[in-house]
Amino acid sequence: MRRAEKARKAGEILDELYPEQPIPLHHADPYTLLVAVMLSAQTTDKKVNEVTPALFAVADTPEQMAKLQVDEIHDIIREIGLAPTKARNLRRMAEQIVADGGGVRPDWEFLESLAGVGHKTASVLMAQAFRVPAFPVDTHIHRLAARWGLSNGRNVVQTERDLKSLFPKDSWARRHLQIIYFGREHCPALRHDLTKCPICSWAATKKCIREEMGG
């Protein structure tokens, strides 16, 4: 089956399974979404959602965050992975936004210039907060794209390029969330029976199934 046909069929299954795609990170506006996405690196969304209410209670704007000491931020987010680095980045990021005028805006160069914000985080903001076509690719989406034979990219940059070429631009934002949800509920990284998966069962190559299942 050609990649384009796999993408079309996978898209139909994802649309059927996930007609609604709620953003898993709790937030109130683009800035609080940005903070939540920054905190989510190497941390579960569940843990982020447990920590952010206390953080947003004292600082849900860049101006408020910039006034906090790094130690104060760290004390609130200490249960999050990489908390010391993230606390420094949150403070610096807030200072940069304040210096720019105080708002988070849909500008790739601006977003990627912020402390602790890489291309993937910027892509999430553009897609989910500003409805600008973007296809954020994290390690989970990278893994599933390879499993399904949609990309043989050696890195997330190539995988993002491949997925953008396969899926219609107006579907990118929802596909990103759908694939994340599918990975959590149907297609885990470990101890996964590819032959019984709603997508892997027909999309994965025999070689992939053999390698992953030790056959």
Side-chain angles (χ1 to χ4, degrees):
M1 188 182 297
R2 298 170 67 91
R3 279 187 180 180
E5 178 62 16
K6 284 186 178 183
R8 185 194 63 76
K9 187 173 178 180
E12 291 176 353
I13 292 171
L14 293 170
D15 281 339
E16 183 176 341
L17 287 173
Y18 307 105
E20 306 273 329
Q21 311 91 37
I23 299 173
L25 294 168
H26 299 164
H27 65 286
D29 52 32
Y31 175 71
T32 51
L33 178 59
L34 176 57
V35 170
V37 176
M38 288 174 64
L39 290 174
S40 70
Q42 298 188 33
T43 304
T44 65
D45 292 345
K46 180 175 183 289
K47 175 57 68 176
V48 173
N49 289 336
E50 290 172 358
V51 167
T52 49
L55 180 62
F56 294 151
V58 296
D60 64 355
T61 67
E63 292 77 10
Q64 292 171 334
M65 190 77 76
K67 291 177 182 177
L68 294 179
Q69 298 299 315
V70 172
D71 288 346
E72 292 179 284
I73 300 172
H74 179 265
D75 285 346
I76 298 172
I77 68 168
R78 62 185 179 278
E79 295 180 11
I80 295 282
L82 307 176
T85 298
K86 290 176 181 177
R88 290 192 297 272
N89 284 338
L90 286 176
R91 165 71 184 275
R92 178 62 186 141
M93 177 266 287
E95 291 175 336
Q96 290 174 286
I97 293 175
V98 171
D100 182 70
V104 178
R105 50 193 173 83
D107 180 290
W108 286 104
E109 186 176 354
F110 167 67
L111 290 173
E112 293 185 18
S113 73
L114 299 174
V117 177
H119 179 68
K120 194 272 287 187
T121 297
S123 295
V124 173
L125 261 289
M126 293 295 260
Q128 310 303 344
F130 299 116
R131 300 294 184 262
V132 173
F135 205 131
V137 174
D138 60 11
T139 54
H140 304 292
I141 292 177
H142 180 62
R143 170 173 57 81
L144 267 61
R147 252 184 191 170
W148 299 346
L150 298 181
S151 175
N152 56 7
R154 298 285 182 258
N155 53 60
V156 296
V157 174
Q158 181 61 48
T159 297
E160 178 183 339
R161 190 177 300 124
D162 289 339
L163 294 179
K164 282 182 172 179
S165 72
L166 290 169
F167 291 105
K169 184 178 286 191
D170 62 2
S171 76
W172 291 351
R174 77 174 187 271
R175 287 284 179 266
H176 156 71
L177 290 171
Q178 288 170 332
I179 295 173
I180 288 175
Y181 282 123
F182 186 88
R184 291 176 181 173
E185 297 175 11
H186 298 280
C187 205
L190 302 175
R191 294 179 292 280
H192 178 46
D193 187 345
L194 277 68
T195 63
K196 296 180 180 178
C197 175
I199 295 180
C200 295
S201 58
W202 54 265
T205 63
K206 291 180 180 179
K207 179 174 181 287
C208 178
I209 292 175
R210 186 168 61 249
E211 289 176 351
E212 288 213 36
M213 299 183 66

